[in-house]
Amino acid sequence: MTEHSDLSANDARAQAFIRDGFLRIDNAFSRELADEARAILWRDTGCDPDDPSTWTRPVVRLGMYAQQPFVQAANTPLLHGAFDLLVGPGRWQPCRSMGTFPVRFPSAEDPGDAGWHIDVSFGLENPDFMTWRANIRSKGRALLMLFLFSDVGDDDAPTRIRAGSHADIARVLAPAGEEGLSLGELARNGFAESAGRPEVLATGAAGTVYLCHPFLVHSAQPHRGRHPRFMAQPPLLPAQPFSLESPVRCPVEEAIWRALNG
């Protein structure tokens, strides 16, 4: 069997995603692709990889990347199989660019962006990101994805994930209907409804990808290690809206349905 069919046929992984809100894919893309992409990113940071004295900021934010190493990393057979498993064949759009890179450097300085949140998905035309919105059907986003382009250990500012928190957010969003809630409204209580969830760190070797439910609560953190962390967090865009009424639901939909009906 190919990697594609192995992953698509593994119901246990879909059930784990529905329960935990994320699926870790090891060796989702090659270390060679990670190395090629990281060389491009290092150039754009303006920092010298061999001279830590040039690493003067805790985080450097880089924009969209559509060069071949990034596009190839996002479109491996293993990842396409995982997208089919979690979202459904024909229900997602291939990634043609890699989203924002918050490159995190070892620093005692507060990065200033380490609050709990979800990645909201529509109303993005407003320059105030706190007005951006999410709704119960996850309009505009099929998955949140974390692509590790460097090795990330416990001290290397791994993203903090509240396992199972996607269910808490589904219950918060449901009464708001199609209009949904803004990030400011969702964050008003500091995401207290998910505070009791177990915390998982998104660690792994370069080439690891975490595929996350759009409602998963997560957070950045300061970098206490020695080597800069390179990670992208692009969305997987839907090819059609999610539905909670269909008797046949993909794992993203099923997780929402169970949160509301379990």
Side-chain angles (χ1 to χ4, degrees):
M1 288 181 124
T2 65
E3 289 179 326
H4 179 112
S5 59
D6 279 346
L7 184 56
S8 298
N10 194 331
D11 291 339
R13 303 192 85 177
Q15 293 302 318
F17 175 87
I18 292 167
R19 180 189 68 237
D20 299 331
F22 69 94
L23 182 62
R24 172 176 167 161
I25 310 292
D26 291 315
N27 302 306
F29 61 96
S30 70
R31 182 171 288 275
E32 289 73 23
L33 282 175
D35 292 346
E36 290 179 41
R38 203 168 58 253
I40 296 170
L41 297 168
W42 264 117
R43 180 197 66 203
D44 290 354
T45 65
C47 302
D48 183 341
D50 300 316
D51 183 1
S53 70
T54 65
W55 309 349
T56 57
R57 290 179 286 171
V59 58
V60 174
R61 295 191 178 278
L62 303 178
M64 302 291 285
Y65 285 81
Q67 293 98 322
Q68 277 305 302
F70 301 96
V71 175
Q72 290 176 17
N75 290 282
T76 64
L78 186 57
L79 282 174
H80 280 194
F83 302 158
D84 282 347
L85 174 73
L86 300 179
V87 180
R91 302 188 65 193
W92 49 271
Q93 300 180 40
C95 297
R96 298 305 179 201
S97 66
M98 195 63 70
T100 305
F101 276 84
V103 181
R104 298 192 181 277
F105 290 87
S107 178
E109 185 181 340
D110 184 349
D113 62 352
W116 293 104
H117 65 284
I118 70 167
D119 281 22
V120 284
S121 56
F122 68 98
L124 310 184
E125 63 279 356
N126 192 311
D128 180 4
F129 72 90
M130 294 301 288
T131 69
W132 298 356
R133 310 184 75 79
N135 70 10
I136 192 60
R137 297 178 190 277
S138 190
K139 177 181 177 181
R141 183 186 297 271
L143 292 172
L144 164 69
M145 304 188 290
L146 308 177
F147 278 73
L148 275 53
F149 282 89
S150 62
D151 295 340
V152 179
D154 289 355
D155 293 332
D156 301 323
T159 298
R160 302 160 66 197
I161 291 170
R162 285 180 172 172
S165 58
H166 58 306
D168 304 315
I169 300 304
R171 289 187 281 267
V172 171
L173 286 171
E178 291 296 320
E179 182 182 357
L181 296 172
S182 69
L183 180 56
E185 291 168 328
L186 287 163
R188 193 167 290 158
N189 68 350
F191 290 88
E193 58 277 323
S194 64
R197 295 289 185 175
E199 186 175 313
V200 175
L201 299 179
T203 58
T208 304
V209 175
Y210 286 76
L211 301 180
C212 305
H213 195 282
F215 300 162
L216 193 68
V217 179
H218 58 286
S219 172
Q221 62 172 317
H223 195 314
R224 303 175 182 87
R226 299 176 57 192
H227 304 288
R229 187 212 70 176
F230 291 81
M231 186 198 77
Q233 46 195 27
L236 184 70
L237 299 178
Q240 56 184 260
F242 285 130
S243 170
L244 304 181
E245 291 75 30
S246 172
V248 179
R249 293 179 290 270
C250 71
V252 174
E253 295 165 327
E254 181 68 16
I256 299 171
W257 191 92
R258 289 190 192 181
L260 304 182
N261 297 280

